[in-house]
Amino acid sequence: MTTIAVVSAGLSEPSSSRLLADRLADAAVTALGDPDGVPGGATRVVHVDLRPLAHEITDAMLTRFTPPALGAAVAELVEADAVVFVAPVFTAGMSGLAKSFLDVLETDALVDMPVLLGATGGSPRHSLTVEHGFRPVFSYLRAAVAPTAVFAATEDWGDAEGVAALDGRIRRAGADLAHMVRTSRRRVPVTEPDVVDFGSLLEGLGQ
């Protein structure tokens, strides 16, 4: 069983960030369902919406104590096999809610975690924010970030040409994440090398 945690930091309802996050997760699930996919083929998607957790995230930052609902959300994230993380862009960076959530995580929570990044904004001018604002944060957390990130501007949802281009980016990103899940260090158990005790070595020399 493969579990994908879908984290969306949209502040409105409905949210374009949640919509993009769901589509990215769907693309990854489709890619994982290919004949050459992960053995077993079953994929579970869990949703972590940050908007209802805003007060608990703030409390955790102030007190360093994790309230119950936030703790459950963090557990879903940490125990997943992969993460789709999407946030809106505000003032040329990820939203404060999204960054605050990452700030309350343990520093090793996402080590080697396959992560697919996405962002939404009003203008294509913000498209590089994912690269210079999102990716460095996850690199610091030592996550395994997918090479393809997806930014969706307002026009990408309504214009026919924009929709087609967005669909292509989403499929490519989903395939990237599926590949990273298959080769993830978090899925492959580390095999300890066989250690021969010193006495056995001496016995072998005496034969």
Side-chain angles (χ1 to χ4, degrees):
M1 172 71 72
T2 299
T3 300
I4 299 176
V6 180
V7 181
S8 54
L11 300 183
S12 59
E13 290 186 348
S15 165
S16 59
S17 292
R18 172 61 188 267
L19 177 59
L20 177 59
D22 287 345
R23 292 188 59 188
L24 289 171
D26 288 345
V29 170
T30 298
L32 284 168
D34 287 345
D36 295 329
V38 176
T43 304
R44 182 173 72 104
V45 175
V46 296
H47 295 279
V48 179
D49 291 321
L50 300 188
R51 185 177 184 272
L53 300 172
H55 291 293
E56 291 199 0
I57 291 171
T58 302
D59 290 343
M61 293 188 68
L62 295 176
T63 66
R64 308 311 300 175
F65 173 77
T66 304
L70 177 59
V74 171
E76 292 275 26
L77 180 74
V78 173
E79 294 169 7
D81 298 295
V83 172
V84 173
F85 188 93
V86 180
V89 172
F90 294 146
T91 321
M94 74 169 66
S95 66
L97 178 61
K99 182 58 168 64
S100 296
F101 175 71
L102 296 175
D103 287 343
V104 302
L105 298 179
E106 296 293 335
T107 54
D108 61 350
L110 297 180
V111 173
D112 293 328
M113 176 72 78
V115 176
L116 173 54
L117 298 177
T120 57
S123 168
R125 292 178 300 171
H126 299 300
S127 59
L128 289 179
T129 301
V130 184
E131 301 302 328
H132 66 67
F134 288 38
R135 194 178 293 274
V137 177
F138 284 89
S139 295
Y140 174 80
L141 295 172
R142 291 177 291 165
V145 185
T148 302
V150 178
F151 177 85
T154 301
E155 63 192 53
D156 291 324
W157 301 107
D159 176 77
E161 184 177 346
V163 168
L166 178 60
D167 286 345
R169 296 197 300 273
I170 289 173
R171 286 193 300 272
R172 171 68 179 270
D176 283 353
L177 186 64
H179 173 73
M180 296 180 71
V181 168
R182 295 179 187 124
T183 58
S184 172
R185 293 180 179 177
R186 291 175 75 105
R187 292 180 61 97
V188 179
V190 177
T191 303
E192 295 293 336
D194 293 332
V195 178
V196 180
D197 64 88
F198 190 65
S200 298
L201 288 174
L202 291 177
E203 290 177 3
L205 291 175
Q207 293 178 353

